[in-house]
Amino acid sequence: MSEYNFAYLDEGTKRMIRRAILKAVAVPGYQVPFASREMPMPYGWGTGGVQVTAACLTPADRLKVIDQGADDTTNAVSIRKFFQRTAGVATTERTAEATLIQTRHRIPETPLTEGQILIYQVPIPEPLRFLEPRETETRRMHALADYGLMHVKLYEDIARNGEIATSYAYPVQVAGRHVMDPSPIPKFDNPKLSDSPALQLFGAGREQRIYAVPPHTQVISLDFDDHPFVASKAPHACALCGDDGSYLDEVITDDAGGRMFVCSDTDHCATRRAAGHAGTQAEAIA
Amino acid sequence: MSGAHPLLSVQGLTKSYGARRGCADVSFDLWPGEVMGIVGESGSGKSTLLSCMAGNLTPDAGAVVFDTRTSGPRDVLAMPEPERRMLARTDWAFVHQNPRDGLRMGVSAGGNVGERLMGVGARHYGQIRAQATDWLGRVEIAAERIDDRPAQFSGGMQQRLQIARNLVTGPRLVFMDEPTGGLDVSVQARLLDLMRGLVRQMGLSAVIVTHDLAVVRLLADRLMVMKDGLVVEEGLTDQVLDDPQHAYTQLLVSSVLQV
């Protein structure tokens, strides 16, 4: 612990990142460039989110790290350990108890509250990237709010699949201005982005961008009048806790077509089971 | 709006690439419903002129005054970029020589035609698709090919798709850069026929840059001949082609192969 500055990064770097965060909060949805540092983990493992977390952490914080909703997968465990060792902060798996949550690809089911910070790991921050390859052009399009192209992508989806088939990283418009990639969260989570009491920060390490959705900001998922946005999920209830309103993972259980649907948010599922809820296969793991 | 102003008025347009002259001191007026042809050999500055007018290049000097629907004649070069972009996708159209430059090759034909509509705020899938289908019909592309990508189209079809994509918002001014370049003669003839029909039907004004005198003979009302970045002769198409005055124009006209 004493070998590192608090939360691994030196104070100058943290200050630089905080400046970028302040700018991002001031212009919701705008991608602020920042001088991303090398982190002791590979790109794609959350280097952007880790840097934002490091810049936001205080010794009094309680940190929760989730990966695809789960607290116990490699990415979540290693990042949690990283901050335990380098910052010595308390950690938790309970969404309600955490003051700072770093997440990869999910928003917790438990509604966030005022004072919490949700930090997303972002692989590709530019929503227009696969439509317009030139960075100079995408920046200009953001500057001019020239977002017709985003609808061309949705049009193509409907033309090919009969519905908007984009199911994750679904483009949103923040505060009526910037179109933003909400990181690869399932579109089921998109409505939770809007008017959240918590501060939401997005960090992309390789692409060197930070953006933000301040508390109580309107976030709208793009759609067509006759093909409105639908926050879809698997039409099942969780096999462990019985919840039919949470986002589900499909788990293959054998090689004979056996499968079960369980909550992707492990904390949500465990809390419900502790409270006595049970799904169809609850006894299987008990 | 009113007939008192030319639709487009180009005044003293000049563009040089370092010491080399792109085009120099070009001025002309284009009236509503009129088709202007610009001819000249390769390197004569006609494409530079077109790009400067259409806002793809920034000229060194001059003005391009367009008679906008809302606020009358305005210098396009002095417009803020959002307005210019809006103009470029509502009242203007640009048909590139190579359809690959003007189309999105990874997007279906319907998406290509619908892009301008969505760019100006259309948010109803059914209506966008209906308009795209209608326009594919007008440029003689079968409706069942609406979900095919342009890469699956022939060269002539790609060019027709590009025209549909440009005309879908009902522009008043079309810039065309060698619209028939790279097509074989029978396809060229059909395309010219189609363009002539559309121009007359919609009452379009157009500026057509080409080195093919047959194209301007068919489409253009007036003709401008360029050489080394300068306009050497200007007049009614038939007058210039049948009675060329400048030595270079005479050379150009006499160079056309007779079959």
Side-chain angles (χ1 to χ4, degrees):
Chain A
M1 160 91 214
S2 56
E3 299 94 313
Y4 295 110
N5 186 34
F6 177 75
Y8 186 76
L9 292 174
D10 62 276
E11 292 304 316
T13 300
K14 285 198 272 187
R15 187 145 82 156
M16 173 271 291
I17 295 173
R18 285 176 196 141
R19 281 203 186 110
I21 293 173
L22 286 176
K23 187 167 179 182
V25 170
V27 191
Y30 170 71
Q31 301 166 45
V32 182
F34 79 110
S36 177
R37 298 290 194 254
E38 292 272 344
M39 296 304 282
M41 61 183 71
Y43 286 125
W45 283 59
T47 51
V50 163
Q51 289 177 74
V52 174
T53 302
C56 292
L57 266 184
T58 64
D61 270 320
R62 188 175 286 118
L63 177 70
K64 171 183 162 82
V65 184
I66 46 180
D67 169 12
Q68 307 270 12
D71 289 278
D72 52 5
T73 50
T74 319
N75 200 256
V77 170
S78 55
I79 291 175
R80 191 162 56 228
K81 263 196 193 142
F82 175 76
F83 283 115
Q84 266 170 346
R85 280 185 51 195
T86 59
V89 293
T91 59
T92 180
E93 297 195 354
R94 308 292 299 274
T95 303
E97 289 172 8
T99 55
L100 205 150
I101 306 171
Q102 180 172 338
T103 179
R104 173 170 179 263
H105 306 184
R106 271 315 303 280
I107 299 176
E109 303 287 354
T110 313
L112 300 174
T113 54
E114 216 157 294
Q116 286 184 313
I117 304 179
L118 184 61
I119 295 167
Y120 298 76
Q121 302 169 198
V122 183
I124 297 163
E126 179 52 73
L128 303 162
R129 174 58 64 240
F130 294 108
L131 303 162
E132 173 55 63
R134 285 168 298 170
E135 178 71 17
T136 47
E137 181 61 18
T138 55
R139 283 198 206 186
R140 182 165 290 162
M141 289 162 81
H142 281 296
L144 301 173
D146 187 0
Y147 292 131
L149 203 50
M150 211 68 244
H151 275 86
V152 175
K153 178 186 145 94
L154 301 178
Y155 171 94
E156 286 292 289
D157 252 12
I158 303 174
R160 287 204 195 126
N161 307 300
E163 57 175 8
I164 300 179
T166 304
S167 57
Y168 66 96
Y170 192 101
V172 294
Q173 188 158 35
V174 183
R177 178 61 178 82
H178 284 93
V179 164
M180 178 184 98
D181 181 340
S183 86
I185 59 171
K187 66 177 169 183
F188 174 80
D189 282 343
N190 269 21
K192 294 185 215 159
L193 287 163
S194 189
D195 201 33
S196 169
L199 171 62
Q200 303 175 78
L201 303 174
F202 298 77
R206 179 175 37 207
E207 303 279 330
Q208 315 201 323
R209 294 288 184 277
I210 287 173
Y211 51 102
V213 176
H216 304 293
T217 302
Q218 191 189 39
V219 179
I220 293 173
S221 305
L222 300 179
D223 60 4
F224 284 104
D225 296 343
D226 49 345
H227 285 266
F229 171 80
V230 179
S232 61
K233 69 182 272 286
H236 297 275
C238 172
L240 299 180
C241 75
D243 192 354
D244 58 1
S246 73
Y247 191 74
L248 301 174
D249 285 340
E250 184 180 7
V251 181
I252 307 291
T253 51
D254 54 35
D255 59 359
R259 64 192 55 194
M260 63 193 289
F261 289 89
V262 296
C263 289
S264 113
D265 187 337
T266 52
D267 165 54
H268 174 73
C269 199
T271 309
R272 274 179 59 86
R273 272 179 284 148
H277 296 279
T280 51
Q281 298 179 50
E283 69 290 342
I285 63 149
Chain B
M1 290 305 308
S2 61
H5 305 288
L7 185 68
L8 184 78
S9 172
V10 175
Q11 295 152 10
L13 209 62
T14 303
K15 169 80 184 170
S16 53
Y17 301 103
R20 212 170 308 125
R21 184 165 59 203
C23 61
D25 200 24
V26 179
S27 304
F28 69 90
D29 287 343
L30 186 74
W31 295 85
E34 193 180 32
V35 178
M36 170 78 125
I38 302 175
V39 295
E41 60 194 2
S42 301
S44 61
K46 50 195 198 312
S47 290
T48 299
L49 174 63
L50 195 70
S51 297
C52 285
M53 286 190 286
N56 303 343
L57 273 179
T58 313
D60 301 330
V64 178
V65 179
F66 180 73
D67 187 15
T68 59
R69 282 182 213 237
T70 45
S71 50
R74 293 195 44 198
D75 186 358
V76 176
L77 302 172
M79 260 186 197
E81 189 161 353
E83 274 185 62
R84 199 162 61 221
R85 283 204 169 200
M86 197 55 171
L87 196 64
R89 66 162 69 105
T90 52
D91 264 357
W92 285 11
F94 196 106
V95 178
H96 292 263
Q97 171 175 10
N98 188 343
R100 277 160 199 279
D101 297 335
L103 292 172
R104 287 188 191 277
M105 299 307 281
V107 169
S108 71
N112 265 297
V113 178
E115 182 180 342
R116 277 169 78 108
L117 295 170
M118 292 182 249
V120 297
R123 292 291 178 265
H124 191 284
Y125 175 81
Q127 286 166 9
I128 293 168
R129 199 163 170 84
Q131 282 209 51
T133 312
D134 174 44
W135 267 97
L136 289 183
R138 288 207 221 179
V139 297
E140 300 166 13
I141 296 176
E144 71 256 23
R145 302 211 61 178
I146 187 167
D147 291 333
D148 289 350
R149 294 183 189 196
Q152 294 161 287
F153 287 4
S154 68
M157 280 173 83
Q158 286 180 2
Q159 196 59 286
R160 295 203 299 272
L161 179 62
Q162 197 195 170
I163 290 170
R165 168 188 159 90
N166 272 293
L167 297 190
V168 66
T169 47
R172 291 187 294 155
L173 175 61
V174 186
F175 297 106
M176 297 193 203
D177 189 5
E178 305 271 11
T180 58
L183 301 175
D184 64 52
V185 281
S186 59
V187 177
Q188 263 191 33
R190 274 179 66 198
L191 187 71
L192 284 174
D193 209 35
L194 176 77
M195 288 196 305
R196 193 161 54 164
L198 288 172
V199 165
R200 295 285 177 263
Q201 260 173 37
M202 301 177 69
L204 295 176
S205 303
V207 179
I208 301 178
V209 159
T210 183
H211 58 250
D212 188 341
L213 294 181
V215 171
V216 286
R217 174 78 91 175
L218 268 174
L219 286 176
D221 303 312
R222 269 197 308 149
L223 202 57
M224 224 161 74
V225 183
M226 289 188 72
K227 182 175 176 8
D228 298 331
L230 299 171
V231 177
V232 292
E233 190 164 351
E234 196 184 345
L236 297 175
T237 302
D238 293 345
Q239 181 191 336
V240 173
L241 291 183
D242 295 338
D243 182 20
Q245 300 296 312
H246 190 274
Y248 175 70
T249 316
Q250 291 168 356
L251 178 73
L252 205 64
V253 171
S254 62
S255 305
V256 175
L257 293 176
Q258 300 296 326
V259 183

Short mmCIF file of all heavy atoms in Angstrom, two decimals, chain B residues 215-243:
data_model
loop_
_atom_site.label_atom_id
_atom_site.label_comp_id
_atom_site.label_asym_id
_atom_site.label_seq_id
_atom_site.Cartn_x
_atom_site.Cartn_y
_atom_site.Cartn_z
N VAL B 215 -23.43 15.29 -73.90
CA VAL B 215 -24.22 15.46 -72.67
C VAL B 215 -24.77 16.87 -72.57
O VAL B 215 -25.95 17.08 -72.30
CB VAL B 215 -23.35 15.11 -71.43
CG1 VAL B 215 -24.07 15.50 -70.15
CG2 VAL B 215 -23.00 13.65 -71.43
N VAL B 216 -23.91 17.86 -72.81
CA VAL B 216 -24.40 19.24 -72.70
C VAL B 216 -25.36 19.58 -73.83
O VAL B 216 -26.32 20.32 -73.65
CB VAL B 216 -23.24 20.27 -72.65
CG1 VAL B 216 -22.57 20.21 -71.31
CG2 VAL B 216 -22.27 20.07 -73.77
N ARG B 217 -25.12 19.00 -74.99
CA ARG B 217 -26.04 19.24 -76.11
C ARG B 217 -27.46 18.81 -75.72
O ARG B 217 -28.43 19.49 -76.00
CB ARG B 217 -25.55 18.45 -77.33
CG ARG B 217 -26.47 18.48 -78.51
CD ARG B 217 -26.39 19.76 -79.30
NE ARG B 217 -25.41 19.68 -80.36
CZ ARG B 217 -25.22 20.64 -81.25
NH1 ARG B 217 -25.90 21.76 -81.19
NH2 ARG B 217 -24.30 20.51 -82.18
N LEU B 218 -27.55 17.68 -75.03
CA LEU B 218 -28.85 17.16 -74.64
C LEU B 218 -29.46 17.91 -73.47
O LEU B 218 -30.65 18.13 -73.42
CB LEU B 218 -28.71 15.68 -74.25
CG LEU B 218 -28.94 14.67 -75.37
CD1 LEU B 218 -28.62 13.29 -74.87
CD2 LEU B 218 -30.37 14.75 -75.87
N LEU B 219 -28.65 18.24 -72.49
CA LEU B 219 -29.21 18.71 -71.22
C LEU B 219 -29.13 20.22 -71.02
O LEU B 219 -30.01 20.80 -70.41
CB LEU B 219 -28.47 18.04 -70.04
CG LEU B 219 -28.79 16.58 -69.78
CD1 LEU B 219 -27.90 16.05 -68.66
CD2 LEU B 219 -30.24 16.41 -69.39
N ALA B 220 -28.07 20.84 -71.50
CA ALA B 220 -27.78 22.21 -71.06
C ALA B 220 -28.46 23.25 -71.95
O ALA B 220 -28.56 23.09 -73.16
CB ALA B 220 -26.29 22.44 -71.03
N ASP B 221 -28.92 24.34 -71.29
CA ASP B 221 -29.44 25.47 -72.03
C ASP B 221 -28.31 26.40 -72.42
O ASP B 221 -28.28 26.96 -73.50
CB ASP B 221 -30.44 26.26 -71.17
CG ASP B 221 -31.56 25.38 -70.68
OD1 ASP B 221 -32.13 24.66 -71.51
OD2 ASP B 221 -31.84 25.40 -69.47
N ARG B 222 -27.40 26.56 -71.48
CA ARG B 222 -26.28 27.46 -71.72
C ARG B 222 -24.98 26.73 -71.48
O ARG B 222 -24.93 25.75 -70.76
CB ARG B 222 -26.37 28.67 -70.78
CG ARG B 222 -27.14 29.81 -71.41
CD ARG B 222 -26.89 31.10 -70.69
NE ARG B 222 -27.11 31.00 -69.27
CZ ARG B 222 -26.42 31.73 -68.38
NH1 ARG B 222 -25.49 32.54 -68.79
NH2 ARG B 222 -26.67 31.61 -67.10
N LEU B 223 -23.91 27.25 -72.03
CA LEU B 223 -22.64 26.56 -72.00
C LEU B 223 -21.52 27.52 -71.65
O LEU B 223 -21.54 28.69 -72.04
CB LEU B 223 -22.38 25.96 -73.40
CG LEU B 223 -21.41 24.81 -73.50
CD1 LEU B 223 -21.85 23.67 -72.60
CD2 LEU B 223 -21.34 24.34 -74.96
N MET B 224 -20.58 27.00 -70.86
CA MET B 224 -19.40 27.79 -70.53
C MET B 224 -18.21 26.91 -70.87
O MET B 224 -18.17 25.74 -70.50
CB MET B 224 -19.42 28.07 -69.03
CG MET B 224 -19.07 29.46 -68.65
SD MET B 224 -19.64 29.80 -66.97
CE MET B 224 -18.47 28.91 -66.04
N VAL B 225 -17.26 27.43 -71.59
CA VAL B 225 -16.08 26.65 -71.97
C VAL B 225 -14.89 27.14 -71.16
O VAL B 225 -14.62 28.34 -71.12
CB VAL B 225 -15.78 26.78 -73.48
CG1 VAL B 225 -14.60 25.89 -73.86
CG2 VAL B 225 -17.01 26.43 -74.30
N MET B 226 -14.22 26.23 -70.51
CA MET B 226 -13.08 26.62 -69.66
C MET B 226 -11.78 26.06 -70.19
O MET B 226 -11.74 24.96 -70.75
CB MET B 226 -13.28 26.12 -68.23
CG MET B 226 -14.37 26.87 -67.49
SD MET B 226 -14.44 26.42 -65.76
CE MET B 226 -12.97 27.21 -65.12
N LYS B 227 -10.74 26.86 -70.02
CA LYS B 227 -9.41 26.39 -70.37
C LYS B 227 -8.41 27.03 -69.41
O LYS B 227 -8.48 28.23 -69.17
CB LYS B 227 -9.07 26.79 -71.81
CG LYS B 227 -7.71 26.28 -72.28
CD LYS B 227 -7.52 26.62 -73.74
CE LYS B 227 -6.16 26.24 -74.29
NZ LYS B 227 -5.25 25.47 -73.49
N ASP B 228 -7.56 26.23 -68.82
CA ASP B 228 -6.54 26.70 -67.88
C ASP B 228 -7.14 27.58 -66.78
O ASP B 228 -6.57 28.60 -66.41
CB ASP B 228 -5.45 27.49 -68.61
CG ASP B 228 -4.72 26.61 -69.61
OD1 ASP B 228 -4.66 25.39 -69.36
OD2 ASP B 228 -4.24 27.14 -70.63
N GLY B 229 -8.30 27.20 -66.29
CA GLY B 229 -8.89 27.92 -65.17
C GLY B 229 -9.66 29.17 -65.55
O GLY B 229 -10.19 29.86 -64.69
N LEU B 230 -9.69 29.49 -66.84
CA LEU B 230 -10.39 30.70 -67.27
C LEU B 230 -11.57 30.32 -68.16
O LEU B 230 -11.53 29.31 -68.86
CB LEU B 230 -9.45 31.61 -68.07
CG LEU B 230 -8.21 32.12 -67.32
CD1 LEU B 230 -7.28 32.81 -68.30
CD2 LEU B 230 -8.63 33.06 -66.20
N VAL B 231 -12.61 31.16 -68.12
CA VAL B 231 -13.73 30.95 -69.02
C VAL B 231 -13.37 31.60 -70.35
O VAL B 231 -13.10 32.80 -70.41
CB VAL B 231 -15.02 31.59 -68.46
CG1 VAL B 231 -16.15 31.43 -69.44
CG2 VAL B 231 -15.37 30.96 -67.12
N VAL B 232 -13.33 30.80 -71.42
CA VAL B 232 -12.91 31.37 -72.70
C VAL B 232 -14.11 31.68 -73.59
O VAL B 232 -14.01 32.51 -74.49
CB VAL B 232 -11.94 30.44 -73.45
CG1 VAL B 232 -10.62 30.35 -72.70
CG2 VAL B 232 -12.52 29.06 -73.66
N GLU B 233 -15.22 31.00 -73.36
CA GLU B 233 -16.39 31.30 -74.18
C GLU B 233 -17.64 30.95 -73.42
O GLU B 233 -17.66 30.01 -72.62
CB GLU B 233 -16.33 30.52 -75.50
CG GLU B 233 -17.39 30.98 -76.48
CD GLU B 233 -17.11 30.50 -77.91
OE1 GLU B 233 -16.02 29.97 -78.15
OE2 GLU B 233 -18.00 30.68 -78.75
N GLU B 234 -18.71 31.68 -73.68
CA GLU B 234 -19.95 31.48 -72.95
C GLU B 234 -21.11 31.83 -73.85
O GLU B 234 -21.02 32.77 -74.64
CB GLU B 234 -19.95 32.40 -71.71
CG GLU B 234 -20.97 32.03 -70.70
CD GLU B 234 -21.00 33.02 -69.54
OE1 GLU B 234 -20.06 33.82 -69.39
OE2 GLU B 234 -21.98 32.99 -68.81
N GLY B 235 -22.18 31.04 -73.79
CA GLY B 235 -23.33 31.38 -74.62
C GLY B 235 -24.35 30.27 -74.60
O GLY B 235 -24.23 29.30 -73.85
N LEU B 236 -25.40 30.41 -75.43
CA LEU B 236 -26.39 29.35 -75.56
C LEU B 236 -25.70 28.11 -76.12
O LEU B 236 -24.78 28.21 -76.94
CB LEU B 236 -27.52 29.78 -76.50
CG LEU B 236 -28.34 30.98 -76.01
CD1 LEU B 236 -29.34 31.39 -77.07
CD2 LEU B 236 -29.04 30.64 -74.71
N THR B 237 -26.17 26.95 -75.68
CA THR B 237 -25.48 25.71 -76.04
C THR B 237 -25.35 25.54 -77.55
O THR B 237 -24.25 25.32 -78.07
CB THR B 237 -26.25 24.51 -75.46
OG1 THR B 237 -26.34 24.68 -74.05
CG2 THR B 237 -25.53 23.21 -75.76
N ASP B 238 -26.47 25.70 -78.24
CA ASP B 238 -26.43 25.47 -79.69
C ASP B 238 -25.51 26.47 -80.38
O ASP B 238 -24.76 26.12 -81.29
CB ASP B 238 -27.86 25.59 -80.26
CG ASP B 238 -28.73 24.45 -79.76
OD1 ASP B 238 -28.15 23.48 -79.25
OD2 ASP B 238 -29.96 24.56 -79.87
N GLN B 239 -25.58 27.70 -79.88
CA GLN B 239 -24.76 28.76 -80.46
C GLN B 239 -23.27 28.44 -80.31
O GLN B 239 -22.50 28.51 -81.27
CB GLN B 239 -25.12 30.06 -79.75
CG GLN B 239 -24.40 31.29 -80.20
CD GLN B 239 -24.66 32.43 -79.21
OE1 GLN B 239 -25.65 32.43 -78.51
NE2 GLN B 239 -23.76 33.38 -79.18
N VAL B 240 -22.89 28.01 -79.11
CA VAL B 240 -21.47 27.74 -78.86
C VAL B 240 -21.01 26.51 -79.64
O VAL B 240 -19.93 26.49 -80.22
CB VAL B 240 -21.20 27.55 -77.35
CG1 VAL B 240 -19.77 27.11 -77.11
CG2 VAL B 240 -21.51 28.81 -76.58
N LEU B 241 -21.86 25.49 -79.66
CA LEU B 241 -21.44 24.24 -80.31
C LEU B 241 -21.47 24.36 -81.84
O LEU B 241 -20.65 23.75 -82.53
CB LEU B 241 -22.33 23.09 -79.85
CG LEU B 241 -22.16 22.65 -78.39
CD1 LEU B 241 -23.04 21.46 -78.10
CD2 LEU B 241 -20.71 22.32 -78.08
N ASP B 242 -22.43 25.12 -82.37
CA ASP B 242 -22.56 25.19 -83.82
C ASP B 242 -21.72 26.31 -84.43
O ASP B 242 -21.34 26.26 -85.60
CB ASP B 242 -24.03 25.40 -84.21
CG ASP B 242 -24.87 24.20 -83.83
OD1 ASP B 242 -24.27 23.11 -83.67
OD2 ASP B 242 -26.10 24.34 -83.65
N ASP B 243 -21.45 27.32 -83.61
CA ASP B 243 -20.68 28.45 -84.15
C ASP B 243 -19.64 28.88 -83.13
O ASP B 243 -19.70 29.96 -82.57
CB ASP B 243 -21.64 29.60 -84.47
CG ASP B 243 -20.91 30.78 -85.09
OD1 ASP B 243 -19.81 30.55 -85.60
OD2 ASP B 243 -21.45 31.90 -85.03
#
